[in-house]
Amino acid sequence: DAKTTQPNSMESNEEEPVHLPCNHSTISGTDYIHWYRQLPSQGPEYVIHGLTSNVNNRMASLAIAEDRKSSTLILHRATLRDAAVYYCIQQPSGNTPLVFGKGTRLSVIA
Amino acid sequence: NAGVTQTPKFQVLKTGQSMTLQCAQDMNHEYMSWYRQDPGMGLRLIHYSVGAGITDQGEVPNGYNVSRSTTEDFPLRLLSAAPSQTSVYFCASRPPGYSYNSPLHFGNGTRLTVT
């Protein structure tokens, strides 16, 4: 079963920042937090991942709480192309599969 | 590089028919996996493989068989299709061993309808 909790849906205006929350209260010290997104009619694509420190890449930023029980995916300026389902995944160490939950459906309004 | 290639893109089967969904990757990834996605749902893991000759079951393995004879290919077999197997199937792979937190690379999916 998925170990993370996310809101079912969120809405954002175009050109504004978006903060997508995720709770992972059962996280252990070696579990990573991964984020993927799925655009309509496509397979999921990797967005970002992290362990303890905040992470930035060209797509997004990941802010991880100090106690690691929650994290926030930050899209700095939402565009219409960012409308997708965003999945937050708690990934144990080792060569184990990713378990997806239902994710958050992000709508972006022009 | 082609990445992860799934064939066919679409397939319609009658109940009881068998078929194989193909998945191939050209990135020398050891880890490969199959997920299914039903309407409005997240992805559920069917089977996965951590290398050639090694396979394991995921959350929903019943009705599906897999084998991994080469690093490149990870076919998913439906032995006797049922309407409950109507779904979109995604194959995914990940780079070798030491970096278990490397991203999964997904194919574009196979949309299967069983009537």
Side-chain angles (χ1 to χ4, degrees):
Chain A
D1 288 348
K3 300 176 185 176
T4 61
T5 306
Q6 300 178 252
N8 289 334
S9 62
M10 291 185 64
E11 204 172 77
S12 172
N13 293 320
E14 199 177 9
E15 307 284 319
E16 291 187 357
V18 182
H19 290 233
L20 296 161
C22 180
N23 287 324
H24 26 83
S25 57
T26 63
I27 196 167
S28 72
T30 55
D31 292 353
Y32 275 74
I33 296 301
H34 287 241
W35 283 82
Y36 285 76
R37 73 178 185 181
Q38 187 174 21
L39 304 172
S41 301
Q42 293 189 27
E45 64 174 343
Y46 167 80
V47 177
I48 200 166
H49 77 280
L51 182 63
T52 56
S53 304
N54 295 344
V55 185
N56 301 295
N57 66 20
R58 64 173 180 80
M59 288 180 71
S61 295
L62 176 61
I64 301 174
E66 196 167 334
D67 64 4
R68 303 217 314 128
K69 294 186 185 302
S70 65
S71 61
T72 302
L73 180 71
I74 303 165
L75 307 179
H76 295 287
R77 280 181 69 208
T79 70
L80 296 178
R81 288 172 295 185
D82 291 322
V85 178
Y86 287 78
Y87 298 98
C88 169
I89 302 166
Q90 179 180 324
Q91 172 64 15
S93 60
N95 206 1
T96 55
L98 263 66
V99 176
F100 286 75
K102 294 186 180 178
T104 296
R105 182 173 298 277
L106 175 67
S107 302
V108 180
I109 302 167
Chain B
N1 284 344
V4 179
T5 302
Q6 290 185 240
T7 55
K9 286 185 170 47
F10 301 94
Q11 182 71 49
V12 179
L13 290 178
K14 291 188 182 345
T15 297
Q17 287 185 315
S18 63
M19 81 158 294
T20 299
L21 279 63
Q22 302 291 347
C23 176
Q25 51 87 14
D26 60 359
M27 299 174 282
N28 199 32
H29 287 176
E30 290 181 350
Y31 177 95
M32 297 184 73
S33 55
W34 277 102
Y35 292 87
R36 62 176 286 175
Q37 185 172 37
D38 300 322
M41 303 286 289
L43 284 80
R44 291 186 291 169
L45 182 68
I46 305 172
H47 286 283
Y48 66 101
S49 168
V50 298
I54 306 168
T55 63
D56 209 343
Q57 296 182 351
E59 305 167 71
V60 289
N62 292 340
Y64 307 95
N65 277 359
V66 291
S67 59
R68 186 90 181 274
S69 54
T70 67
T71 299
E72 294 77 20
D73 300 298
F74 190 42
L76 179 72
R77 279 183 285 276
L78 282 70
L79 300 177
S80 178
S84 61
Q85 293 178 304
T86 294
S87 191
V88 181
Y89 291 84
F90 290 102
C91 179
S93 70
R94 186 166 71 198
Y98 68 92
S99 55
Y100 298 137
N101 285 286
S102 294
L104 278 179
H105 298 250
F106 280 85
N108 287 328
T110 294
R111 187 175 296 275
L112 176 68
T113 302
V114 183
T115 61

